[in-house]
Amino acid sequence: NKSLGPKNKYLLFEPDEGGWNNLRLGFEANLALAFATGRTFVLPPRDRVYLLKKSSQQQKEKLNKLFKSDTNLISARSPVYGFEDIFAMEPLRERMRVITMEEFIREVINDPSNNELP
């Protein structure tokens, strides 16, 4: 009995251009969908957050404290984020497979032995 489709299935998440709460809601909904369908959840690459660079310096300092990175991710010139900087990924990875976009590209797109691509 041969199964249909590729052996490994993925759900790629592309955040919209909304504010932080819209990004969070989209992330959570797509994460739940990946979990429910047994797919690997692919985190989007780091990107700019809408309206964040218009925030006050005090707001940027609060956000930098919130993020789980030692680097200063939020600045006036380069307000970028990664969901893995904000959310604790290890508890998620204990329950489901979560990878970065870079890992997805290496694993699926750049693998010459991968016969799953059309």
Side-chain angles (χ1 to χ4, degrees), residues 1 14-15 36 53 56 58-59 73 76 88 106:
N1 188 10
E14 181 178 357
K53 76 178 181 181
S56 69
Q58 184 180 18
Q59 177 73 16
L73 295 173
R106 276 195 309 273

Side-chain angles (χ1 to χ4, degrees), residues 11-56:
L11 190 141
L12 283 72
F13 168 54
E14 181 178 357
D16 63 18
E17 294 295 319
W20 167 244
N21 201 45
N22 287 359
L23 297 174
R24 181 189 57 80
L25 288 169
F27 173 79
E28 291 171 352
N30 281 279
L31 187 66
L33 181 62
F35 181 78
T37 60
R39 294 173 186 261
T40 296
F41 185 72
V42 181
L43 294 165
R46 294 181 197 286
D47 201 355
R48 299 185 188 284
V49 177
Y50 171 69
L51 292 180
L52 189 57
K53 76 178 181 181
K54 293 182 182 179
S55 298
S56 69

